[in-house]
Amino acid sequence: KLVDSAYILVTHPSVKAQTTRELIALAKSQPDSLHFGSSGNGSSQHLTGALFNAMTGAQLKHVPYRGSSGVTTDLLAGTIECSFAGVPNVLPFVQQGKLRALGVTTAKRIEQLPAKEKALVYTFVTQAMNACYNLVEDEILTKEIFAI
């Protein structure tokens, strides 16, 4: 394994929820009225949101994009309400107050987040939905994975 990359559950500041619990309650009270963006159908962001919905009973509606940049642009504009976004994609906007961080997919707090975000961890997505990048030896690929 080369690296793990966490996601941050972020919302547009206009969303009334201030915590993950409040977002879940809001999503349950207004089914399919809150939208989460992902970098596309079947992406790890999409699957993180689907797992979040399944495990919490929230009903966030999925909006697939063709990559993360469109998600971030529409999230900042308030076109969509939330996303499970990669830390580098949204951290500056969280630090500037343009987005609100509600949760992370890591067991530990992300130190670069504002100090008020101490209880960000919602452990049902911990470890399960981190993007993991592996380096696989070419010989293994050739002999085992692509063997016909």
Side-chain angles (χ1 to χ4, degrees):
K1 176 167 44 170
L2 294 178
V3 66
D4 281 329
S5 180
Y7 290 120
I8 304 175
L9 170 55
V10 289
T11 63
H12 185 268
S14 66
V15 175
K16 294 178 183 176
Q18 300 287 318
T19 66
T20 305
R21 288 182 195 270
E22 289 177 9
L23 182 67
I24 293 166
L26 186 61
K28 285 181 177 182
S29 71
Q30 301 172 10
D32 294 327
S33 67
L34 298 175
H35 303 82
F36 80 93
S38 79
S39 57
N41 286 320
S43 68
S44 55
Q45 290 174 318
H46 175 205
L47 298 177
T48 300
L51 179 64
F52 180 84
N53 281 343
M55 296 185 84
T56 64
Q59 294 183 36
L60 300 173
K61 189 169 184 173
H62 178 234
V63 181
Y65 286 78
R66 291 184 178 177
S68 298
S69 62
V71 176
T72 305
T73 300
D74 278 359
L75 189 57
L76 288 165
T79 306
I80 57 172
E81 291 81 15
C82 61
S83 181
F84 292 87
V87 176
N89 296 348
V90 295
L91 185 60
F93 303 115
V94 170
Q95 291 171 328
Q96 295 167 15
K98 294 179 180 178
L99 294 176
R100 182 182 303 125
L102 301 185
V104 295
T105 61
T106 59
K108 296 180 181 176
R109 183 183 172 286
I110 295 174
E111 292 301 319
Q112 293 84 357
L113 289 171
K116 66 177 186 159
E117 312 290 357
K118 291 190 186 221
L120 289 177
V121 179
Y122 230 80
T123 56
F124 54 82
V125 288
T126 299
Q127 304 299 325
M129 295 312 299
N130 286 347
C132 179
Y133 301 94
N134 294 304
L135 180 64
V136 181
E137 186 177 327
D138 187 45
E139 185 177 334
I140 296 171
L141 281 173
T142 322
K143 289 183 177 179
E144 295 184 20
I145 297 174
F146 294 111
I148 297 176

